[in-house]
Amino acid sequence: MKILANDGVSQSGIAALEKEGFEVLTTTVAQEQLVNFINENNIVGLLVRSATKVRADIIDNCPSLKLIGRGGVGMDNIDVAYAKEKGLHVINTPAASSESVAELVFAHLFGGVRFLHDANRNMPLDGDSKFKELKKAYAKGVELRGKTLGVVGFGRIGQATAKIALGVGMKVVYSDPYIAEASVNVPFFDGQAVSFNFKSISKEDVLNQADFVTVHVPAQKEYVIGKAEFNLMKDGAGIVNAARGGVIDEVALIAALENGKLSFAALDVFESEPNPEIKILMHPNISLTPHIGAATGEAQDRIGLELATQIVALLK
Ligand SMILES: NC(=O)c1ccc[n+]([C@@H]2O[C@H](COP(=O)([O-])OP(=O)(O)OC[C@H]3O[C@@H](n4cnc5c(N)ncnc54)[C@H](O)[C@@H]3O)[C@@H](O)[C@H]2O)c1
């Protein structure tokens, strides 16, 4: 049985599938040639990340296809309901990348409070001629320890982020309409662990209390953070979006940075992805990454293995 991993899959995933007798093709087939390729090669499983779209054209015209797998969480690029209606298995790997995204959030937070995003832009240009000026410009850093992290959306990634915050010595508050209470277990290297119990509070209270806000909700129709929400935040707060573009109103974000309400923002995802607005890209107070939250070797290994386990269970 042949599996096409059109956006790639980890070597560990390939090995696990091959061990069970599957053949894994890792050719990246152009979107418009996918139907032909799947039919010509009798593909039974199509694995994608976020690039390849799996819409009705593929679902309707590829009779050999039995399974669609998304390496990662969001399934915006797959017509899930339609595929299921047509009898296809649709799988994803919701838990595999939570810790990687959480670490990226903290990379942005640690960077943000010490202006690393801006220092890294300016040191190569002026570090030799204006060292003292740059030193002064980046001298008013703050520490994360002792500050409050507000988490909006307390699912897998929200809780993974909270664990790191607790380890750093931050206070954590969260808002999630569907998770009234949560117990977060923070494990240490030597087997010790400490559990913390939390209760959801209103989004308004989170925004009010937090020094830094991080958003971990699924894509939704309305902005979760817009002008009204920025106004509720503490003066000089920071915000991170490593969830989905469109969760934060970018126009309101720029305004909040320019009027001094926010001190910095960090974005891994963008409203107009994959062509983020130039105002966002050029802003000195925004720390930027190109949607790499899940892009660690460890997460990709877990994703590949999780997909392989599910494929073997469903198709063998
Ligand atoms: N940056 C990346 O590369 C990357 C990687 C993986 C996932 N993500 C994104 O991260 C987000 C969270 O993923 P997850 O695995 O934690 O999902 P999850 O389903 O485990 O958690 C999401 C939580 O958000 C809550 N929620 C929904 N709407 C809300 C709202 N309006 N206000 C507050 N809470 C709300 C839900 O109740 C749920 O508990 C998703 O958008 C996902 O697509 C990004």
Side-chain angles (χ1 to χ4, degrees), residues 120-157:
N120 276 318
R121 285 169 174 167
N122 288 320
M123 283 297 281
L125 300 173
D126 296 324
D128 56 350
S129 57
K130 297 185 181 159
F131 193 93
K132 282 188 179 161
E133 288 91 324
L134 292 178
K135 182 173 166 135
K136 198 169 166 208
Y138 305 131
K140 294 207 170 103
V142 294
E143 296 179 0
L144 293 180
R145 182 173 305 278
K147 304 296 186 306
T148 299
L149 181 70
V151 186
V152 179
F154 211 55
R156 288 171 290 254
I157 299 174

Coordinates of all heavy atoms in Angstrom, one line a residue, residues 120-157:
N120 N 18.9 42.3 17.2 CA 19.4 41.5 16.1 C 19.3 42.1 14.8 O 19.9 41.7 13.8 CB 18.7 40.1 16.2 CG 19.4 39.2 17.2 OD1 20.6 39.1 17.3 ND2 18.6 38.4 17.9
R121 N 18.3 43.1 14.6 CA 18.2 43.8 13.4 C 19.3 44.9 13.3 O 19.9 45.1 12.2 CB 16.9 44.4 13.3 CG 15.7 43.5 13.0 CD 14.4 44.2 13.1 NE 13.3 43.3 12.7 CZ 12.0 43.6 13.0 NH1 11.7 44.6 13.6 NH2 11.1 42.8 12.5
N122 N 19.6 45.5 14.4 CA 20.4 46.7 14.4 C 21.9 46.4 14.7 O 22.7 47.2 14.2 CB 19.9 47.8 15.4 CG 18.6 48.4 14.8 OD1 18.5 48.6 13.6 ND2 17.6 48.6 15.6
M123 N 22.2 45.4 15.4 CA 23.6 45.1 15.7 C 24.4 44.9 14.4 O 25.5 45.4 14.3 CB 23.8 44.0 16.7 CG 23.5 44.3 18.1 SD 24.7 45.5 18.8 CE 26.1 44.5 19.1
P124 N 23.9 44.1 13.5 CA 24.7 43.9 12.2 C 24.9 45.2 11.5 O 26.0 45.4 10.8 CB 23.9 42.9 11.4 CG 23.0 42.3 12.4 CD 22.7 43.3 13.5
L125 N 24.0 46.1 11.6 CA 24.1 47.4 10.8 C 25.0 48.4 11.5 O 25.8 49.0 10.9 CB 22.7 48.0 10.6 CG 21.6 47.1 9.9 CD1 20.3 47.8 9.9 CD2 22.1 47.0 8.4
D126 N 24.7 48.6 12.8 CA 25.3 49.7 13.6 C 26.1 49.3 14.8 O 26.6 50.1 15.6 CB 24.2 50.6 14.0 CG 23.5 51.3 12.9 OD1 24.2 51.6 11.8 OD2 22.3 51.5 13.0
G127 N 26.3 48.0 15.0 CA 26.9 47.5 16.2 C 28.3 48.0 16.4 O 28.8 48.2 17.5
D128 N 29.1 48.2 15.3 CA 30.4 48.7 15.4 C 30.6 50.2 15.6 O 31.4 50.7 16.3 CB 31.3 48.2 14.3 CG 30.8 48.6 12.9 OD1 29.6 49.1 12.9 OD2 31.5 48.4 11.9
S129 N 29.6 50.9 14.9 CA 29.7 52.4 15.0 C 28.9 53.0 16.1 O 29.2 54.1 16.5 CB 29.3 52.9 13.6 OG 28.0 52.5 13.3
K130 N 27.8 52.4 16.5 CA 26.9 53.0 17.4 C 26.6 52.1 18.6 O 25.5 52.0 19.1 CB 25.5 53.3 16.8 CG 25.6 54.3 15.6 CD 24.3 54.7 15.2 CE 24.3 55.7 14.0 NZ 23.1 55.6 13.2
F131 N 27.7 51.4 19.1 CA 27.5 50.4 20.2 C 26.9 51.1 21.4 O 25.9 50.5 22.0 CB 28.9 49.9 20.5 CG 28.8 48.6 21.4 CD1 28.8 47.4 20.8 CD2 28.8 48.8 22.8 CE1 28.7 46.2 21.6 CE2 28.7 47.6 23.6 CZ 28.7 46.4 23.0
K132 N 27.4 52.2 21.8 CA 26.9 52.9 23.0 C 25.4 53.3 22.9 O 24.6 53.1 23.8 CB 27.7 54.1 23.4 CG 29.0 53.7 24.1 CD 29.7 54.9 24.6 CE 31.0 54.5 25.2 NZ 32.0 55.6 25.4
E133 N 25.0 53.8 21.7 CA 23.6 54.2 21.5 C 22.7 53.0 21.6 O 21.7 53.0 22.2 CB 23.5 54.9 20.1 CG 24.1 56.2 20.0 CD 25.5 56.2 19.5 OE1 26.3 55.2 19.9 OE2 25.9 57.1 18.7
L134 N 23.2 51.9 21.0 CA 22.3 50.7 21.0 C 22.2 50.1 22.4 O 21.2 49.7 22.8 CB 22.9 49.6 20.0 CG 22.8 50.0 18.5 CD1 23.4 48.9 17.7 CD2 21.4 50.2 18.1
K135 N 23.4 50.1 23.1 CA 23.4 49.7 24.5 C 22.3 50.4 25.3 O 21.5 49.9 26.1 CB 24.8 49.9 25.1 CG 24.9 49.4 26.5 CD 26.3 49.4 27.0 CE 26.4 49.3 28.5 NZ 27.4 48.4 28.9
K136 N 22.3 51.8 25.1 CA 21.3 52.6 25.8 C 19.9 52.3 25.4 O 19.0 52.2 26.2 CB 21.6 54.1 25.5 CG 21.0 55.0 26.5 CD 21.5 56.4 26.4 CE 20.6 57.4 27.1 NZ 20.6 58.7 26.6
A137 N 19.7 52.1 24.1 CA 18.4 51.8 23.5 C 17.8 50.5 24.1 O 16.5 50.4 24.3 CB 18.4 51.7 22.0
Y138 N 18.6 49.6 24.4 CA 18.1 48.3 24.8 C 18.4 48.0 26.3 O 18.4 46.9 26.8 CB 18.7 47.1 24.0 CG 18.5 47.3 22.5 CD1 19.6 47.2 21.6 CD2 17.3 47.6 22.0 CE1 19.4 47.3 20.3 CE2 17.1 47.8 20.6 CZ 18.1 47.6 19.8 OH 17.9 47.8 18.4
A139 N 18.5 49.1 27.1 CA 19.0 49.0 28.5 C 17.8 48.8 29.4 O 18.0 48.4 30.6 CB 19.8 50.2 28.9
K140 N 16.6 49.0 29.0 CA 15.5 49.0 29.9 C 14.7 47.7 29.9 O 13.4 47.7 29.8 CB 14.5 50.2 29.7 CG 15.2 51.5 30.0 CD 14.3 52.6 30.4 CE 15.0 53.8 30.9 NZ 15.0 54.9 30.0
G141 N 15.4 46.6 29.9 CA 14.7 45.3 29.9 C 14.0 45.0 31.2 O 14.2 45.7 32.2
V142 N 13.1 44.0 31.1 CA 12.5 43.5 32.4 C 12.6 42.0 32.4 O 13.0 41.4 31.4 CB 11.0 43.9 32.4 CG1 10.8 45.4 32.6 CG2 10.2 43.3 31.3
E143 N 12.4 41.5 33.6 CA 12.5 40.0 33.8 C 11.1 39.4 33.7 O 10.1 40.1 34.0 CB 13.1 39.7 35.2 CG 14.5 40.1 35.3 CD 15.1 39.8 36.7 OE1 14.3 39.3 37.6 OE2 16.2 40.2 36.9
L144 N 11.0 38.2 33.3 CA 9.7 37.5 33.3 C 9.4 37.0 34.7 O 8.2 36.9 35.0 CB 9.8 36.3 32.3 CG 9.9 36.6 30.8 CD1 10.0 35.3 30.0 CD2 8.8 37.5 30.3
R145 N 10.4 36.5 35.4 CA 10.1 36.0 36.8 C 9.3 37.0 37.6 O 9.6 38.2 37.6 CB 11.4 35.8 37.5 CG 11.3 35.2 38.8 CD 12.7 34.8 39.4 NE 13.4 33.9 38.5 CZ 13.2 32.6 38.4 NH1 12.4 32.0 39.3 NH2 13.9 31.8 37.6
G146 N 8.2 36.5 38.2 CA 7.4 37.3 39.1 C 6.3 38.1 38.3 O 5.4 38.6 38.9
K147 N 6.3 38.0 37.0 CA 5.3 38.7 36.2 C 4.1 37.7 36.0 O 4.2 36.5 36.2 CB 5.8 39.1 34.8 CG 7.0 40.1 34.9 CD 6.7 41.4 35.6 CE 7.9 42.3 35.6 NZ 9.1 41.8 36.1
T148 N 3.0 38.2 35.4 CA 1.8 37.4 35.2 C 1.6 37.1 33.7 O 1.6 38.0 32.9 CB 0.6 38.1 35.8 OG1 0.7 38.3 37.2 CG2 -0.7 37.3 35.5
L149 N 1.5 35.8 33.4 CA 1.2 35.4 32.0 C -0.3 35.1 31.9 O -0.8 34.3 32.7 CB 2.0 34.1 31.6 CG 1.8 33.7 30.2 CD1 2.4 34.6 29.2 CD2 2.3 32.2 30.0
G150 N -0.9 35.8 31.0 CA -2.4 35.5 30.8 C -2.5 34.6 29.5 O -2.0 35.0 28.5
V151 N -3.1 33.5 29.7 CA -3.3 32.5 28.6 C -4.7 32.5 28.2 O -5.6 32.2 29.0 CB -2.9 31.1 29.0 CG1 -2.9 30.2 27.9 CG2 -1.5 31.2 29.7
V152 N -5.0 32.9 26.9 CA -6.3 32.9 26.4 C -6.5 31.6 25.5 O -5.8 31.5 24.5 CB -6.6 34.1 25.5 CG1 -8.0 34.1 25.0 CG2 -6.4 35.4 26.4
G153 N -7.2 30.6 26.0 CA -7.3 29.3 25.4 C -6.4 28.4 26.1 O -5.2 28.4 25.9
F154 N -7.0 27.5 27.0 CA -6.2 26.7 27.9 C -6.3 25.2 27.5 O -6.4 24.4 28.3 CB -6.6 26.9 29.3 CG -5.5 26.8 30.3 CD1 -4.4 27.5 30.2 CD2 -5.6 25.9 31.4 CE1 -3.3 27.4 31.2 CE2 -4.6 25.8 32.3 CZ -3.5 26.6 32.2
G155 N -6.1 24.9 26.2 CA -6.0 23.6 25.7 C -4.6 23.0 25.8 O -3.9 23.4 26.7
R156 N -4.2 22.2 24.9 CA -2.9 21.5 24.9 C -1.8 22.5 25.0 O -0.9 22.5 25.8 CB -2.8 20.6 23.7 CG -3.6 19.3 23.8 CD -3.6 18.6 22.5 NE -4.3 19.3 21.5 CZ -5.5 19.0 21.1 NH1 -6.1 17.9 21.5 NH2 -6.1 19.7 20.1
I157 N -1.8 23.5 24.0 CA -0.6 24.4 23.9 C -0.7 25.4 25.0 O 0.3 25.8 25.6 CB -0.6 25.1 22.5 CG1 -0.4 24.0 21.4 CG2 0.5 26.1 22.4 CD1 -0.5 24.5 20.0

